[in-house]
Amino acid sequence: MELKIKKLTKQYGDKIAVDGFSTTFGEGVNGLLGANGSGKTTLMRMMCDILRPTSGEVLLDGISISTLDEAYRELLGYLPQNFGYYPDFTGWDFMIYLSSLKGLPKLTAVERCKYLLNTVGLYDVRKQKIKTYSGGMRQRLGIAQSLINDPKILILDEPTVGLDPKERTKFRNIISDNSLGKIVLLSTHIVSDVEYIADKIFIVKHGKLFQEAKADSICSSIDNFVWNLKVSPKDVESYNSKYIVSNLKHSGDTVELRIVSEECPEKTAVNVSPSLEDLYLFHFRGEA
């Protein structure tokens, strides 16, 4: 199973949100990484057939999703960036309601809702109204509802917004456990969300596909661009103004800097292996 994106474009007046985007998303976790405003949400909305493209198309195994229509939506699980809910519904009622919309038989729906609410840690508060949930709890409910029909295609737009570090780790484990034999598309501007679980990473910049590669090789494009350097505290500001400083650590009378730069910042600087965060900072320096 594969989702092929062919020259997908979305234009609003003079603004091009997605610009001739072409690639193929295969089974496993596909991490879509980009700064806020880079076009990720618009791209995903078109992939969910919620938003019609100005031009181009999305194909599932060679068939346009607009032709598949309802058959495509039955395969789809989606968590939008701004997850909508009914505030006076309890968590349980909300899940059961969405199960009915997805056409799940009653007994299947009950078992599935129990399992998912347990998985995201909300089963004990299932009878509370959603309006009483914290932001993180609502986001966890959103993750649960996206999995309710055991989708073959799972599209998640900034799914860890509002989650604390412990919840983020649990989320990554849930997605990794649910990725076998499925196409998972995870959009984020938070590097750690995709760093540990993505099979392939796609970098989006200004509505275009800027770079794509397997997760274990994508950083090779900035090999020899990352440096460790110890400097005096009084010199830190000078390096900050000239280079991308991805990390700063005080150590006694010196400051250890991690610098991302195509040129060696100082004779005493030592080359180190690049990380995905270094790659992100290199490509999105100066952007929101």
Side-chain angles (χ1 to χ4, degrees):
M1 186 168 59
E2 65 175 27
L3 270 175
K4 191 174 186 66
I5 316 300
K6 292 183 66 177
K7 297 181 180 179
L8 209 59
T9 297
K10 185 63 181 179
Q11 186 166 355
Y12 300 96
D14 294 333
K15 178 178 171 57
I16 300 176
V18 175
D19 189 1
F21 196 103
S22 295
T23 193
T24 299
F25 296 110
E27 292 181 5
V29 180
N30 299 274
L32 201 62
L33 193 60
N36 287 327
S38 61
K40 303 188 305 297
T41 293
T42 303
L43 175 66
M44 298 181 98
R45 284 171 61 83
M46 288 190 286
M47 290 178 64
C48 290
D49 205 25
I50 295 169
L51 188 65
R52 294 292 179 183
T54 304
S55 61
E57 59 182 341
V58 180
L59 305 170
L60 174 62
D61 292 336
I63 303 171
S64 172
I65 62 169
S66 60
T67 301
L68 290 167
D69 199 29
E70 189 61 34
Y72 177 68
R73 281 188 279 278
E74 287 177 1
L75 300 173
L76 188 66
Y78 176 47
L79 176 60
Q81 189 170 7
N82 298 306
F83 165 56
Y85 59 91
Y86 298 100
D88 287 318
F89 273 37
T90 65
W92 179 260
D93 289 342
F94 181 71
M95 290 290 287
I96 290 292
Y97 170 67
L98 289 179
S99 299
S100 68
L101 292 182
K102 288 288 187 178
L104 270 64
K106 187 174 181 180
L107 288 177
T108 304
V110 168
E111 290 305 310
R112 188 72 180 156
C113 290
K114 281 182 182 177
Y115 167 73
L116 289 170
L117 288 173
N118 263 314
T119 298
V120 299
L122 292 176
Y123 187 74
D124 290 344
V125 294
R126 67 192 183 282
K127 294 183 179 178
Q128 294 180 21
K129 290 186 176 182
I130 300 173
K131 66 183 177 184
T132 68
Y133 286 4
S134 67
M137 290 166 72
R138 288 196 293 270
Q139 198 66 10
R140 281 186 275 148
L141 183 65
I143 292 165
Q145 66 79 32
S146 72
L147 294 166
I148 203 152
N149 59 326
D150 194 18
K152 295 297 182 185
I153 301 165
L154 182 59
I155 296 180
L156 306 164
D157 191 1
E158 300 285 356
T160 59
V161 172
L163 301 185
D164 63 31
K166 184 178 178 181
E167 289 174 320
R168 297 178 99 89
T169 301
K170 187 170 184 178
F171 158 77
R172 290 198 297 264
N173 292 339
I174 291 169
I175 297 309
S176 190
D177 284 343
N178 281 274
S179 64
L180 191 63
K182 300 177 182 180
I183 297 172
V184 179
L185 190 62
L186 169 59
S187 162
T188 186
H189 65 282
I190 301 169
V191 173
S192 60
D193 284 353
V194 297
E195 190 169 24
Y196 300 111
I197 63 169
D199 299 294
K200 198 169 181 181
I201 293 172
F202 302 77
I203 296 179
V204 183
K205 193 172 183 179
H206 305 312
K208 297 181 178 182
L209 179 60
F210 185 74
Q211 185 180 353
E212 67 174 283
K214 289 184 177 179
D216 59 4
S217 62
I218 194 165
C219 293
S220 62
S221 63
I222 59 165
D223 277 346
N224 304 316
F225 288 5
V226 185
W227 312 84
N228 266 4
L229 175 64
K230 289 184 178 181
V231 301
S232 167
K234 64 182 178 61
D235 294 327
V236 169
E237 187 55 42
S238 171
Y239 284 97
N240 261 325
S241 64
K242 289 170 63 178
Y243 300 105
I244 304 164
V245 177
S246 64
N247 196 56
L248 181 155
K249 181 182 178 182
H250 285 268
S251 179
D253 296 332
T254 62
V255 179
E256 187 174 337
L257 303 180
R258 185 179 178 92
I259 291 173
V260 186
S261 169
E262 294 176 67
E263 60 181 42
C264 179
E266 186 67 47
K267 288 181 181 178
T268 56
V270 178
N271 244 154
V272 293
S273 297
S275 68
L276 188 57
E277 186 174 69
D278 296 323
L279 181 74
Y280 183 89
L281 290 171
F282 182 73
H283 288 315
F284 292 97
R285 55 194 182 275
E287 296 192 25

